[in-house]
Amino acid sequence: MRSFTRFILVMSLACVSSPVLAQEQSIEEYTGPWPQYLNKKPESCDATSLKLINLHLMARGGAEALSNVSTLKLEGVLLEGKVDSEISFFCHSDGETQMLTNRFYRGDDYIVASSIGQGASWRQNLSPEKASPRRLGGLDESLLRLNGWLPWLFIDPDGSGHVFAYQGTKTFAGKEAYLIHGWLANGMQIDVLFDAKSFHIVNYRHVFSIAGKQVVVDRMPTGLTRSSDVWWETGYSFRLRGKTFRNLTYETVTANAPLAERLFEMPNVKERWLRVTPEQ
């Protein structure tokens, strides 16, 4: 049955003809801003991308099983160069997300919370000295929002505000893969490559900031684990032009994890008033 389904998909892909597919640009060439032909967001997902998304959801355990998971807790290690940090992600299927990083440096724990709630996006230094939270915006907010979206990115492609379009087949890491491009609800764009046999994701491509410059990088899933009858990605290798600059590894993944009440809400900001005596 699976082979028959894949045969139908391959036949459908072969019949697709669009201006996007006419572009002969390899994904390996994407090292800067997105190509101009991807600037215009389609009004809706095309039929081929929806078929790929459905096969991907089936490979993960099914759309129904994924819909039954409302929260996700991921804990592990983030390695950037020679600097490593403990990291925790708390995600809700409605998009609320919090990332907690803890870097030990010269005898102190430097703990930072970054969060996206229903009312605000914010960041707060918690240790060694607790500071007032500040608003989070720009690419930092977009990337944090993307981290919260990824586990449920394809659960409702028609109603999520995201739009996906099929781009053809590519060879990635020596294997055949299907490529779709996504225009996300927050304005970000992303490439997603599905393995042609398993339909699991072998690579994402999205904007990242390196040395103050925005570039498109590879984000390769490094493993899978099963929780609540669903397969979840357990880490990512971030690469630019084939060189790894960041590794994120989740050592534990807990689906439907209980989350603290008001976890994503921005803490109250304590105002400080300076009394000034008018000059005589």
Side-chain angles (χ1 to χ4, degrees), residues 147-162:
N147 287 329
W149 276 341
L150 281 186
W152 295 276
L153 185 62
F154 298 112
I155 193 63
D156 183 20
D158 287 322
S160 62
H162 312 314

Side-chain angles (χ1 to χ4, degrees), residues 30-261:
Y30 294 165
T31 55
W34 292 107
Q36 186 174 2
Y37 72 89
L38 293 175
N39 287 345
K40 187 176 181 181
K41 179 180 179 179
E43 293 184 0
S44 60
C45 302
D46 63 79
T48 307
S49 66
L50 291 177
K51 290 178 182 178
L52 281 169
I53 288 170
N54 183 57
L55 288 167
H56 168 67
L57 292 175
M58 290 171 59
R60 288 188 60 192
E64 183 177 355
L66 184 57
S67 297
N68 289 334
V69 177
S70 60
T71 63
L72 196 63
K73 181 180 180 181
L74 309 106
E75 298 176 294
V77 177
L78 173 65
L79 179 63
E80 296 180 286
K82 296 181 179 180
V83 178
D84 66 316
S85 306
E86 296 178 355
I87 190 165
S88 299
F89 270 106
F90 308 93
C91 309
H92 197 285
S93 58
D94 64 6
E96 291 184 307
T97 304
Q98 183 171 115
M99 177 179 69
L100 200 65
T101 59
N102 183 1
R103 180 171 69 92
F104 184 76
Y105 180 70
R106 293 186 177 181
D108 286 316
D109 287 316
Y110 287 78
I111 304 175
V112 179
S114 303
S115 189
I116 293 177
Q118 295 295 336
S121 303
W122 52 275
R123 176 173 289 163
Q124 184 178 24
N125 294 334
L126 301 177
S127 176
E129 295 183 3
K130 190 172 183 179
S132 296
R134 61 187 186 276
R135 296 283 180 172
L136 185 65
L139 184 58
D140 286 343
E141 179 190 21
S142 296
L143 289 172
L144 181 59
R145 194 174 295 276
L146 176 63
N147 287 329
W149 276 341
L150 281 186
W152 295 276
L153 185 62
F154 298 112
I155 193 63
D156 183 20
D158 287 322
S160 62
H162 312 314
V163 177
F164 301 99
Y166 176 63
Q167 303 291 297
T169 58
K170 302 290 180 181
T171 299
F172 185 82
K175 297 181 179 180
E176 184 183 11
Y178 298 120
L179 172 65
I180 65 173
H181 187 78
W183 293 261
L184 305 186
N186 66 342
M188 286 191 75
Q189 295 187 49
I190 189 170
D191 273 348
V192 184
L193 275 168
F194 301 93
D195 183 89
K197 293 182 178 181
S198 70
F199 296 101
H200 284 293
I201 295 170
V202 294
N203 194 39
Y204 303 92
R205 291 179 69 84
H206 60 76
V207 172
F208 201 86
S209 179
I210 299 178
K213 182 179 179 181
Q214 291 191 9
V215 294
V216 178
V217 303
D218 291 303
R219 178 179 184 153
M220 299 171 57
T222 54
L224 294 168
T225 191
R226 192 174 176 87
S227 179
S228 294
D229 298 323
V230 177
W231 289 99
W232 308 95
E233 293 164 348
T234 58
Y236 305 96
S237 174
F238 292 76
R239 300 182 183 183
L240 177 64
R241 301 185 182 96
K243 295 183 178 181
T244 302
F245 65 92
R246 193 176 202 244
N247 279 309
L248 175 59
T249 303
Y250 298 129
E251 297 167 346
T252 61
V253 176
T254 308
N256 285 322
L259 302 182
E261 188 178 356

